[in-house]
Amino acid sequence: MTKQSSSPSDGLFGPMFSTPEATRHSGAQAWLQAMLDFEGALATAQAAAGLVPPDAAADIARCCRAELFDAASIAERAAGSATPVIPLVRDLTELVPAEARPHVHRGATSQDVLDTAAMLVCRGVLDGVLADLRGAADECARLAAEHRTTPMIARSLLQQALPTTFGARAATWLTSLDEAAGALQVLHRQRLAVQLGGPAGTLSALGPDGPRVVGLLAAELGLAEPVVPWHTDRTRIAELAGSLGTAAGALGKIALDVTLHAQTEVGELAEGRSGGSSAMPHKQNPVGSVLVTAAAERAPGLVSTLLGAMRQEYERAAGSWQAEWEPLGELLRLVASAAARTRELLAGLRVRPERMSENLGLTRGLVMAESAAGPLVAELGRTAGQDLVTELCRRTVERGSSLRAELLAEPRVREILSAEDIHRATEPADHLGSAAEFADRARTAHAERQDR
C-alpha cells in the first residue's frame, strides 16, 4: 500500500526542507506527545501541591503516551472546536481509570496545553539547530584559520573592489553564525516557558495554590516559570520568530556567497557534493546552497505571520493564536534544514586559491589603483595624483597592458616611485589590510563563546 503523506514535513518536498530530527520533534506525533506531557506533568504537579491524589496523578501520567491515541481522529475532530486539545482531553479522560477522571486537565485551558506543547516542540528542534549552527561555525573557524592570508578579490555591487582574503570572508560568516546561535541559545535557556493560566489567566479553579502549581509544573517539564500567564503576550513567540529568521538570513548569506563563487566564470569555490542536471551532464550544481537559499527565502514570510499574530484580544485571542501553530513548526523545520545543510556544505567546501589568484589579475592590476595613487597623491596633491592614476588606468584598458607596466613607463611616476615601490604598490598580497587580523579576532571570539 502506498504511504499517504500526513503533513507537509513528510511529503514530496519534506526531506529537502527539514531534517529527520526536526520532523520527528515537530510532526503530529511530537505535538501530540508534547500536549500529553503537559497533561501528565500537570497532574503530577497538582499531586505535589496536594490538589490531586497521588494515585490518580500516576494513573494519568501512565496514560499520557502518544501511541495510545489516534492522532488522525483527534485532528479530524479538532476542526469542531478550533483546537485539538478538546478531543485529546476527552480521549484521555476515557482512557484513565474512573477514579482519576475528575482530575484530568484540572484548572487548565486548551491554550495552556498548546502553548506549553509549542515550547516543548521548540526545545526539541532547537537542540538540533543549535548543534548544527555551532558545527557550521566550527567549519567557518577552520576555513578562517586555513585561509587567513589566502588572497582573493573583494566585490562591491558585484564588481571587483579591493584585495581581501578568503579567511576574512569566512570570519564574517563565522561571526554571523555565532551571533545567531547566541540569540537562540538565550531563548532556549530562558524564554521557553510553561503556560498555565486557566480560562481567563487567573487560575481561579486552583484557588490560592495556582502560582505554586505553575512553579511545580515548570520544574516538572524543565521549562522557565513565567511571571504571569502569557496567553495574549506573544513576545516569546515573536522573539523565537525573529531569532529563527535571523539565523535563516545568516545561513542564506553563506549559501548565496558559495553559489556566486561556484559560478563557472568565477570558480573560486565548489561544494563537495555537487548535483547534476537532468538535461546537461556537464553541470555540477551547488545543490546544498540552493536548498539553503530556498529555505532562507521562505523564512521571512513565516516570521511576518508570527509577528502579525502578536495583536491578540483581551485575555484570549480569536484566530491570531491559532494562526501561529503551523508557521512556527514550518519555520523550525526550515531553519533546522538550512543549518544542517550549511554545516555539511562547509565541511566539504573546496577552496580554489589558484582561481582566486587568477581572478585577482582579471583587471590587469586596476584593482590596485587606490594603492598606487596613495604615494602620488602625497607628492602631487589629491587632484593631480588622482588624475594621473586615472589616466594610467585608461591607458591600461585601451592598450590591454597592465597598470604596473603603465606606472613603470610613466616618467612623472618614475620621478616619485622606484621600480620596487611600483611593484610593492601593485602586489595584491601586500595590500590585504587587517584581513588576517580580523580572521584571527573572529576565531578568538568563537573560542571564547565555546568556553562560556
Side-chain angles (χ1 to χ4, degrees):
M1 180 179 293
T2 302
K3 179 184 176 183
Q4 298 297 313
S5 173
S6 60
S7 74
S9 63
D10 63 6
L12 183 63
F13 305 111
M16 291 188 285
F17 298 111
S18 186
T19 65
E21 183 181 13
T23 298
R24 179 167 59 86
H25 283 294
S26 67
Q29 284 295 108
W31 275 94
L32 179 57
Q33 186 58 61
M35 290 188 286
L36 289 166
D37 287 343
F38 171 91
E39 296 291 356
L42 177 64
T44 301
Q46 290 176 343
L51 300 177
V52 169
D55 289 345
D59 286 336
I60 293 169
R62 272 195 299 272
C63 291
C64 288
R65 304 199 319 270
E67 63 268 22
L68 301 177
F69 295 81
D70 186 341
S73 172
I74 291 171
E76 187 70 27
R77 288 177 284 153
S81 55
T83 170
V85 176
I86 291 175
L88 173 66
V89 170
R90 183 174 290 114
D91 291 354
L92 176 59
T93 302
E94 293 177 358
L95 188 62
V96 302
E99 58 272 17
R101 289 173 184 171
H103 306 293
V104 173
H105 194 67
R106 181 173 177 179
T109 192
S110 297
Q111 188 166 356
D112 294 332
V113 183
L114 267 169
D115 277 350
T116 302
M119 298 292 98
L120 295 173
V121 166
C122 286
R123 183 173 66 187
V125 178
L126 285 178
D127 286 337
V129 170
L130 286 167
D132 283 327
L133 285 174
R134 294 189 192 104
D138 288 342
E139 296 297 341
C140 288
R142 174 185 60 81
L143 291 168
E146 292 176 0
H147 297 282
R148 61 188 297 275
T149 59
T150 301
M152 64 177 286
I153 191 66
R155 294 172 173 90
S156 172
L157 303 182
L158 296 178
Q159 306 301 305
Q160 290 204 352
L162 297 172
T164 185
T165 70
F166 181 61
R169 173 68 60 73
T172 300
W173 296 346
L174 170 60
T175 302
S176 66
L177 290 178
D178 274 344
E179 291 177 351
L184 282 173
Q185 183 66 63
V186 170
L187 290 171
H188 186 272
R189 290 176 178 172
Q190 302 176 13
R191 297 291 285 161
L192 300 182
V194 74
Q195 175 79 282
L196 183 61
T202 62
L203 281 180
S204 57
L206 301 185
D209 294 306
R212 183 181 176 210
V213 172
V214 174
L216 291 167
L217 178 61
E220 186 72 21
L221 292 172
L223 295 172
E225 179 183 352
V227 176
V228 296
W230 46 280
H231 289 142
T232 49
D233 170 14
R234 309 312 285 176
T235 51
R236 284 180 173 80
I237 300 298
E239 289 169 17
L240 276 166
S243 292
L244 287 167
T246 297
L251 295 163
K253 155 49 176 185
I254 296 173
L256 178 58
D257 279 348
V258 172
T259 302
L260 291 171
H261 282 290
Q263 291 179 100
T264 305
E265 295 82 357
V266 181
E268 295 172 347
L269 298 175
E271 289 190 16
R273 294 176 60 187
S274 299
S277 164
S278 64
M280 295 169 281
H282 67 281
K283 291 186 68 183
Q284 293 295 307
N285 295 321
V287 293
S289 297
V290 166
L291 290 175
V292 173
T293 296
E297 291 277 358
R298 291 167 62 185
L302 297 168
V303 173
S304 177
T305 296
L306 292 168
L307 292 179
M310 285 188 72
R311 297 186 305 115
Q312 300 194 4
E313 306 86 353
Y314 300 126
E315 277 65 52
R316 300 286 301 286
S320 293
W321 169 56
Q322 289 84 349
E324 295 174 349
W325 306 333
E326 288 191 306
L328 179 60
E330 186 175 0
L331 183 58
L332 286 165
R333 288 188 292 272
L334 286 172
V335 176
S337 171
R341 292 188 186 281
T342 300
R343 180 180 188 175
E344 180 182 9
L345 77 86
L346 288 171
L349 192 66
R350 299 201 299 268
V351 182
R352 295 171 171 168
E354 72 284 355
R355 286 299 300 269
M356 293 177 177
S357 179
E358 291 173 13
N359 290 336
L360 267 171
L362 280 178
T363 64
R364 299 185 300 278
L366 292 180
V367 295
M368 302 305 299
E370 180 189 54
S371 170
L376 297 176
V377 166
E379 186 70 24
L380 302 175
R382 173 164 298 280
T383 300
Q386 291 282 9
D387 287 348
L388 176 55
V389 173
T390 299
E391 179 184 342
L392 296 177
C393 288
R394 178 180 53 77
R395 287 186 201 167
T396 299
V397 174
E398 290 175 350
R399 298 173 180 178
S401 59
S402 70
L403 180 59
R404 178 179 290 174
E406 295 300 333
L407 288 165
L408 288 169
E410 174 54 50
R412 289 172 293 175
V413 173
R414 298 307 304 275
E415 290 177 1
I416 301 170
L417 302 176
S418 67
E420 183 180 351
D421 293 334
I422 292 172
H423 277 78
R424 190 181 303 113
T426 55
E427 176 52 52
D430 291 340
H431 294 274
L432 300 174
S434 301
E437 181 180 352
F438 286 141
D440 294 341
R441 282 162 60 97
R443 289 169 49 232
T444 298
H446 176 66
E448 290 174 349
R449 285 178 183 270
Q450 290 180 312
D451 292 339
R452 291 200 290 268

